Amino acid sequence: GKTYVEVVRLNDVCSQSFSMDFSPDGSTLVVAGDGHLLCFDASNGSKRGSIWLDQYFEEPRFSPDGTKIVCHAPDDNVYVLDVKSGRIVSTLTGLSQGACFARFLPDGKTVVTTDWDGPAVLWDVTTGTVRKKLSVQDTRIYDAIGFKTKQQVATSDENGSVRIWSTANGKCEAVLPIPNALQCYDLFLSPNEQYLTAKSNSRIIQVFEKVGP
């Protein structure tokens, strides 16, 4: 069977590396570190660019077309950055206690974030304004993931539920309970969006299959 061989080793990338991501086409690797993002050619390790700020970035995520990166920082803001120029496209502010994560929705025009305060928030990438807040009373949302085939987002929360939301009106359309779960954490979606998986603190990984149109 196939195996892997080392082709690139990036030494002393930064004093502290926090997280990485590949561009959708797999050609570029972005590394988040102390005060900057570094982009490398994945095939040979040559540097393609760097983006600097006076703080460290966390969990960079490429846009679907690979032209932008979203990441969050300790200043409680989320930054959308242009890969080619390195400039800040927009700054998403107003997260009351800092972002837990941020990622693009499949349309490439919207970013979804969660924070320590509760709701998932949908942001306009260009203007940096809030489009919708997906909130459950007195409940913290942990993860959120968008669907390509429908205007929907799935979220997981501290009450042990997976919820399906409309991105058009911000209303909850379905609740998928996780048995015996006090909290529901990570969500994963299969490439064809036929299956949605959820991981909870009850040591259960539950797989949901799409039914209907």
Side-chain angles (χ1 to χ4, degrees):
K2 291 183 178 179
T3 186
Y4 290 88
V5 296
E6 181 178 320
V7 292
V8 172
R9 181 173 298 185
L10 305 174
N11 295 313
D12 299 321
V13 175
C14 51
S15 61
Q16 189 171 9
S17 298
F18 293 96
S19 49
M20 299 172 286
D21 191 30
F22 278 102
S23 60
D25 64 4
S27 66
T28 303
L29 174 68
V30 61
V31 179
D34 48 351
H36 58 268
L37 296 174
L38 298 175
C39 293
F40 298 93
D41 186 305
S43 65
N44 58 33
S46 61
K47 188 183 292 187
R48 286 185 165 177
S50 58
I51 302 170
W52 293 86
L53 281 182
D54 294 330
Q55 57 188 320
Y56 63 81
F57 293 106
E58 296 184 65
E59 298 183 352
R61 294 291 179 264
F62 277 96
S63 61
D65 64 3
T67 63
K68 297 180 182 66
I69 292 172
V70 65
C71 56
H72 56 93
D75 64 358
D76 295 344
N77 293 327
V78 171
Y79 294 91
V80 179
L81 307 145
D82 182 82
V83 173
K84 187 175 182 179
S85 68
R87 69 180 182 87
I88 297 174
V89 176
S90 58
T91 303
L92 314 182
T93 62
L95 296 164
S96 60
Q97 297 189 41
C100 297
F101 84 93
R103 67 162 60 104
F104 282 92
L105 294 189
D107 65 4
K109 301 176 182 178
T110 309
V111 163
V112 59
T113 64
T114 64
D115 64 26
W116 296 97
D117 192 38
V121 181
L122 306 181
W123 304 81
D124 184 293
V125 169
T126 303
T127 64
T129 56
V130 174
R131 285 183 169 175
K132 293 286 185 300
K133 285 190 176 183
L134 315 178
S135 61
V136 182
Q137 186 174 4
D138 299 325
T139 300
R140 177 187 166 191
I141 292 176
Y142 286 115
D143 199 2
I145 192 167
F147 295 87
K148 298 176 184 177
T149 54
K150 289 188 175 182
Q151 289 185 312
Q152 291 178 321
V153 169
T155 64
S156 61
D157 61 50
E158 65 180 353
N159 288 335
S161 294
V162 174
R163 298 172 190 270
I164 308 297
W165 306 78
S166 166
T167 58
N169 58 30
K171 296 184 180 299
C172 180
E173 299 182 331
V175 180
L176 313 176
I178 309 295
N180 304 314
L182 298 177
Q183 296 174 324
C184 184
Y185 297 114
D186 301 328
L187 296 174
F188 299 92
L189 191 63
S190 64
N192 63 359
E193 301 191 352
Q194 186 67 23
Y195 299 99
L196 174 68
T197 66
K199 182 182 73 174
S200 71
N201 67 340
S202 60
R203 300 200 297 184
I204 292 174
I205 294 177
Q206 195 158 345
V207 181
F208 299 94
E209 183 177 11
K210 181 175 67 176
V211 294

